Amino acid sequence: MLRFPIDVLQRASVLSRNVKRLIALSNDVVMAIAASYVAYSLRLGVWAWEPGVTVLSVISLVVFPVVFVPHQLYKTIFRFAGRGMMTAILRGGAVYGVLFSAIVVVANIPGVPRTAGLIQPIIFVSFVLMSRLVIRYLMLDLLGRLDFSGETKTVLVYGAGETGRQTANVLRGEPGYRVMGFIDDDERLNRQSLDGLRVWHSSSLAGLVDKYGVSDVVMAIPRATRKRRSEIVKALEGMKLRVSTLPPMADVMAGRVTINDIREVEIDDLLGRDPVAPNPRLLSRTVLDKTVMITGAGGSIGSELCRQIPSLGVNRIVLYDISEFALYSIEHELRKAAAETEGGPEIVAVLGNVRDKDRLAETIGRYTPDTVFHAAAFKHVPLVEANAVEGLRNNFLGTKFVLDAASSGGVSDFILISTDKAVRPTNIMGATKRLAELAVQAYAAEQPRMRASITRFGNVLGSSGSVVPLFRRQVAQGGPITLTHREVTRFFMTIPEAAQLVIQAAGLAKGGEVFVLDMGVPVRIYDLAAAIVRLSGLTIRDEHKPDGDIEIIDVGLRPGEKLYEELLIGNDPQTTAHPRIMMAHEYSIPDADVRKAMLQAEDVTRPEAVYHLLQSFVPEYTPQLNGMDE
């Protein structure tokens, strides 16, 4: 017997939006007639269909569509309906009541009591509200929950503001969620009620988790700083809660919160910093109305530059990469984004190696870029350590070839994207990047016709070499999480922030500068791993908590790895027009020495020769061949 109404509801749930609106309108027609009958009968004290009922029904059927349609009562998605829909019905109902009553009272229709004109709107609006509530809270919820066979999550929404209210409404419409109430830091809201749900102060959270078996917390506080988000996640430590969040406030304000907006808290949300408003002048100087070429366009930083630059008024963007798949992926993404806007830049994808002089010269000669962002490099420390010759050729020779081709091709601005591992390097990757920096500095000192500069920064969260995806995989597999050393610290920055600062640093360049991005406070990798465990709703297993979920173990430093990274070789960095971009004062070598290093690099075939070359031209390079920290 139960299957018949459920089957009807299932068929109704897949109807088109227009059909559903027609059904809602038909429902209101029935409610208008029913309200007219009830109002007339209550006025006369007799349940009977008299001519006066017909008159009231006709007036109602004429008036309510004229009022309800402009108030958009038929554009509401019932499953997400809440206080907003109720408010719209009451607002439209008030206008309807005034018009309906005025017609009945002023017209003085024979056989129609004037008081019925006052009673009918009240009954009609009440019927409409009840019908919406029945559809929303009974029929649709019943259908979803009867058909749902997965895990039901017991949820508290952190934040009792408008965004929190919307979030709770969305979750209450999903069969996989049971919303217990709200958590808020405002003590004035404690034990208040919002949309029928209790609001508790955040200090009550631990007790609520035990009392109601809460499994998930959704942070619905899009205006909260990353520091505050981090504090909240840390406060949840040990409670075995999964933590989700909403996108930034700008995205939330763009429209209604939906279930797809709710996502897991990423480590970027906690370790990244609150953004500093970009300087439009710096963003546009090397990009606006220009042709921009990006080497390593498919990499972590290169692809983010490709995403940001089209919105800055560039005429043409040339994507240069050796990886066919990476190049295809970013080109496809950019073309898809361009199809959704008008007047986007010309997009050119070039498959090429930075060590191929002819390909570089042909590409630059054909597309005549004004600006080149050189992001192509081998960056994975252990791999480059094990492939020293290729690392030297790609990172140093590749940079020199791109630099020379850009200079010969009339490029105005050349920007080398470097790394904190180039500072007092202990590995091949860092030393080859430092040699690449020296090549750019030497060029700028002796051939100033092209502004050549360097931008140096540390790790970016979510990059191809980031430990974050590795840690997440290890957590998903039940652990353990493997660290090279518990005291290893690294600087971290989100990829979007790093790319935006790189573009702005290029706008500051006059030639020869080493720009250093302010990376904030270095982060212990152990703390990063612990945060990922907490965000997964799990606990750390150690000597203090042997029954924890995930163990974190040390496996020893890798060859060439340092405990601590640095961003400056010298001291006393100079501030710039941007608060998060500094300019370093560092030594350089003559262009003749760079040419000499270049000739030697073209001939090396053995790792031992690479070590010797790097120690000759990068005197601060101290290889850690045994993998032990200094």
Side-chain angles (χ1 to χ4, degrees):
M1 293 294 293
L2 187 61
R3 282 310 308 174
F4 174 72
I6 292 177
D7 289 342
V8 172
L9 286 171
Q10 286 176 328
R11 292 189 181 96
S13 66
V14 298
L15 296 174
S16 70
R17 181 66 54 82
N18 288 333
V19 172
K20 290 178 181 179
R21 288 173 180 166
L22 182 60
I23 292 173
L25 180 61
S26 301
N27 169 81
D28 292 349
V29 168
V30 174
M31 295 299 104
I33 296 171
S36 299
Y37 173 69
V38 171
Y40 189 90
S41 298
L42 288 176
R43 171 63 182 82
L44 296 183
V46 178
W47 295 99
W49 189 282
E50 300 288 345
V53 175
T54 303
V55 174
L56 289 174
S57 299
V58 171
I59 296 173
S60 182
L61 294 175
V62 171
V63 174
F64 92 75
V66 174
V67 176
F68 282 13
V69 171
H71 280 79
Q72 299 187 339
L73 265 60
Y74 303 109
K75 290 188 176 180
T76 301
I77 302 173
F78 284 174
R79 67 180 303 184
F80 295 138
R83 189 174 65 184
M85 180 193 71
M86 303 304 170
T87 301
I89 291 175
L90 290 174
R91 189 165 48 242
V95 177
Y96 165 83
V98 171
L99 290 177
F100 185 89
S101 300
I103 293 171
V104 173
V105 172
V106 173
N108 194 18
I109 305 169
V112 177
R114 293 181 180 182
T115 50
L118 301 175
I119 300 172
Q120 197 272 357
I122 297 174
I123 298 174
F124 175 52
V125 173
S126 299
F127 281 3
V128 171
L129 281 170
M130 285 190 293
S131 66
R132 299 296 195 273
L133 288 172
V134 167
I135 295 173
R136 165 64 179 85
Y137 290 109
L138 296 179
M139 301 176 75
L140 290 179
D141 281 2
L142 176 64
L143 172 62
R145 298 190 190 282
L146 286 174
D147 278 358
F148 183 72
S149 58
E151 174 193 6
T152 298
K153 300 176 181 178
T154 304
V155 181
L156 284 170
V157 177
Y158 204 117
E162 177 60 23
T163 303
R165 187 194 65 77
Q166 288 187 35
T167 303
N169 272 336
V170 168
L171 293 174
R172 290 166 89 177
E174 294 293 325
Y177 293 88
R178 185 163 63 102
V179 182
M180 300 307 303
F182 298 92
I183 292 292
D184 202 279
D185 297 326
D186 190 344
E187 292 185 357
R188 296 172 299 178
L189 300 178
N190 190 33
R191 299 195 175 278
Q192 299 295 315
S193 180
L194 177 61
D195 274 3
L197 295 172
R198 176 66 64 86
V199 181
W200 288 279
H201 187 256
S202 52
S203 60
S204 308
L205 184 56
L208 295 172
V209 170
D210 294 334
K211 182 177 181 180
Y212 295 110
V214 177
S215 61
D216 291 73
V217 169
V218 178
M219 290 196 292
I221 42 177
R223 286 192 178 93
T225 63
R226 283 188 170 94
K227 180 180 178 182
R228 179 60 189 139
R229 291 171 186 266
S230 183
E231 290 171 349
I232 292 172
V233 170
K234 192 164 183 63
L236 302 177
E237 185 175 357
M239 298 185 194
K240 302 193 76 169
L241 292 169
R242 291 184 292 264
V243 186
S244 303
T245 189
L246 294 173
M249 191 63 199
D251 296 334
V252 173
M253 293 299 290
R256 181 186 300 275
V257 176
T258 71
I259 193 67
N260 293 327
D261 295 324
I262 299 171
R263 59 174 175 79
E264 286 187 357
V265 173
E266 299 290 345
I267 203 68
D268 306 37
D269 298 316
L270 307 182
L271 296 186
R273 297 172 298 176
D274 296 311
V276 169
N279 184 322
R281 182 181 62 82
L282 297 180
L283 280 174
S284 63
R285 190 184 71 76
T286 59
V287 174
L288 182 63
D289 296 329
K290 298 180 184 293
T291 294
V292 175
M293 176 175 170
I294 301 169
T295 70
S300 303
I301 292 296
S303 62
E304 184 61 28
L305 288 171
C306 293
R307 294 183 189 100
Q308 293 192 21
I309 286 175
S311 65
L312 300 176
V314 66
N315 284 340
R316 178 194 292 145
I317 183 167
V318 181
L319 320 176
Y320 192 93
D321 204 291
I322 192 174
S323 168
E324 180 186 28
F325 177 74
L327 186 64
Y328 163 77
S329 297
I330 187 61
E331 180 196 21
H332 177 74
E333 180 181 338
L334 293 186
R335 293 196 185 281
K336 183 178 179 182
E340 299 172 358
T341 59
E342 294 183 3
E346 178 187 354
I347 300 168
V348 178
V350 179
L351 195 61
N353 193 329
V354 293
R355 288 156 47 186
D356 187 336
K357 297 180 186 179
D358 293 336
R359 184 62 166 157
L360 287 168
E362 188 269 334
T363 301
I364 291 176
R366 180 176 181 180
Y367 298 109
T368 60
D370 302 285
T371 303
V372 172
F373 289 94
H374 179 46
F378 289 156
K379 306 179 184 74
H380 195 275
V381 171
L383 280 178
V384 176
E385 203 71 19
N387 296 273
V389 175
E390 289 302 305
L392 176 67
R393 289 173 177 170
N394 195 76
N395 292 356
F396 170 53
L397 287 181
T399 298
K400 192 68 177 75
F401 293 160
V402 176
L403 183 67
D404 290 343
S407 177
S408 300
V411 171
S412 301
D413 289 273
F414 176 93
I415 301 93
L416 169 65
I417 297 172
S418 193
T419 170
D420 56 353
K421 293 175 177 60
V423 179
R424 283 180 274 276
T426 59
N427 52 64
I428 296 292
M429 195 279 276
T432 54
K433 290 296 287 184
R434 178 56 186 153
L435 191 54
E437 290 183 354
L438 291 171
V440 175
Q441 289 175 289
Y443 171 88
E446 299 190 19
Q447 302 181 56
R449 62 178 174 271
M450 177 178 70
R451 284 183 295 267
S453 63
I454 301 155
T455 300
R456 182 192 295 156
F457 52 93
N459 299 273
V460 286
L461 293 165
S463 68
S464 57
S466 172
V467 295
V468 174
L470 171 62
F471 288 171
R472 285 201 177 278
R473 286 195 298 271
Q474 291 176 332
V475 168
Q477 294 165 2
I481 289 180
T482 55
L483 303 179
T484 56
H485 196 291
R486 286 183 176 242
E487 297 305 318
V488 166
T489 63
R490 294 292 182 264
F491 292 100
F492 283 99
M493 178 180 286
T494 64
I495 294 176
E497 182 186 17
Q500 187 182 84
L501 290 177
V502 165
I503 299 170
Q504 292 178 87
L508 290 167
K510 296 180 180 177
E513 297 91 347
V514 178
F515 294 109
V516 179
L517 304 187
D518 177 6
M519 301 290 295
V521 179
V523 177
R524 256 198 342 160
I525 300 298
Y526 177 87
D527 295 335
L528 180 70
I532 290 174
V533 173
R534 290 196 299 269
L535 292 176
S536 302
L538 303 172
T539 57
I540 297 171
R541 185 193 315 149
D542 55 24
E543 62 274 14
H544 304 295
K545 194 167 186 177
D547 59 343
D549 302 299
I550 302 293
E551 185 180 11
I552 301 176
I553 62 174
D554 296 355
V555 296
L557 290 170
R558 301 171 299 183
E561 186 175 22
K562 294 195 291 185
L563 276 178
Y564 312 105
E565 296 291 1
E566 306 167 274
L567 286 168
L568 295 169
I569 295 175
N571 295 315
D572 191 28
Q574 179 181 335
T575 59
T576 69
H578 195 287
R580 288 190 179 168
I581 301 175
M582 301 176 291
M583 190 165 63
H585 298 284
E586 299 179 352
Y587 79 90
S588 60
I589 61 177
D591 188 61
D593 286 353
V594 173
R595 295 285 174 184
K596 182 178 178 182
M598 181 178 170
L599 292 174
Q600 292 183 21
E602 289 177 326
D603 292 334
V604 296
T605 57
R606 297 175 59 82
E608 294 79 5
V610 174
Y611 293 125
H612 178 73
L613 184 153
L614 292 174
Q615 288 176 308
S616 299
F617 294 97
V618 185
E620 69 271 27
Y621 169 49
T622 53
Q624 302 290 315
L625 300 180
N626 60 356
M628 298 299 292
D629 185 72
E630 61 269 61

